[in-house]
Amino acid sequence: MLNIGVIISGRGSNLQALIDAGLNIVVVISDKADAFGLERAKKHKIDAVHIDPKKFKDKNTYELEIVKVLQKHQVGLVCLAGYMRIVGDVLLEHYQGKMLNIHPALLPAFPGLHSQKQALEHGVKVSGATVHFVDEGCDTGPIILQTAVPVLDNDTEETLSARILEQEHKIYPQAVKLFAEGKLKIVERRVTGTGG
Ligand code: GRF
């Protein structure tokens, strides 16, 4: 069975969706001590680890500590779920091709922070959610699954975010299952095996 490690910074509703889908999550790591996701993990008897970046001299040594924890748990897939840092060389060296992220927009539109606000300000009629492999860029890796979500006339950042989040909670577990079943293949930028 594939051991999954989840890295978070906050609320952890996507983590909860992965837990509820019955996936084999063996460890949850947060860069923030007060991330609510750590409580969710504990409630489900999953190892919950806070790693404070401020305690390390640089990003590499911080990420080496993350890798140490992931390796201790024999993690074969890393899921970023609301992790608010750009992944650096060390995590990529160890997990590129085995590390996924969920993003609240239809990439490549609106990468980075506040995607739902960016979508509203741009005036798009459709936004959505994307699960992708993580590469060295910010939300630039090969795309696995996407779902479109309509933008309504009276949407605010909050209402649009909530509608997108519902879809995130569906496609993230689906993508993780496809990975766990060994169905995904990356050919250049295209991911096959998603049934599309
Ligand atoms: C989600 O919108 C996710 O797409 C983005 O950050 C948010 C995290 O929410 N990367 P949660 O912590 O999973 O509730």
Side-chain angles (χ1 to χ4, degrees), residues 120-138:
L120 282 174
E121 284 174 359
H122 194 92
V124 293
K125 299 296 183 196
V126 178
S127 190
T130 302
V131 183
H132 63 92
F133 282 100
V134 176
D135 68 5
E136 62 288 344
C138 176

Side-chain angles (χ1 to χ4, degrees), residues 11-14 82 102-104 168:
R11 175 177 68 175
S13 71
N14 278 289
I102 178 92
H103 184 76
E168 294 183 39

Side-chain angles (χ1 to χ4, degrees), residues 8-16 37 40 80-84 101-105 116 129-130 139 161 164-165 168-169:
I8 61 165
S9 294
R11 175 177 68 175
S13 71
N14 278 289
L15 162 68
Q16 188 68 53
R40 297 182 193 264
L80 308 184
Y83 179 53
M84 299 302 284
N101 182 42
I102 178 92
H103 184 76
Q116 303 94 334
T130 302
D139 302 319
S161 300
I164 292 174
L165 195 63
E168 294 183 39
H169 295 164

Side-chain angles (χ1 to χ4, degrees), residues 19-92:
I19 294 172
D20 294 345
L23 293 158
N24 185 36
I25 298 162
V26 293
V27 63
V28 174
I29 298 171
S30 172
D31 61 336
K32 296 263 187 299
D34 60 353
F36 183 61
L38 289 174
E39 302 311 313
R40 297 182 193 264
K42 285 179 205 155
K43 195 170 157 210
H44 291 271
K45 312 236 176 321
I46 298 167
D47 257 354
V49 184
H50 168 227
I51 302 178
D52 185 353
K54 290 191 225 75
K55 292 198 171 137
F56 298 85
K57 73 171 188 326
D58 55 24
K59 187 159 187 148
N60 284 356
T61 48
Y62 160 64
E63 288 198 344
L64 269 175
E65 180 63 21
I66 297 181
V67 168
K68 209 167 97 188
V69 172
L70 294 170
Q71 286 179 338
K72 189 176 118 198
H73 290 82
Q74 297 183 305
V75 162
L77 174 68
V78 177
C79 293
L80 308 184
Y83 179 53
M84 299 302 284
R85 287 167 193 274
I86 306 231
V87 159
D89 295 342
V90 170
L91 267 171
L92 279 173

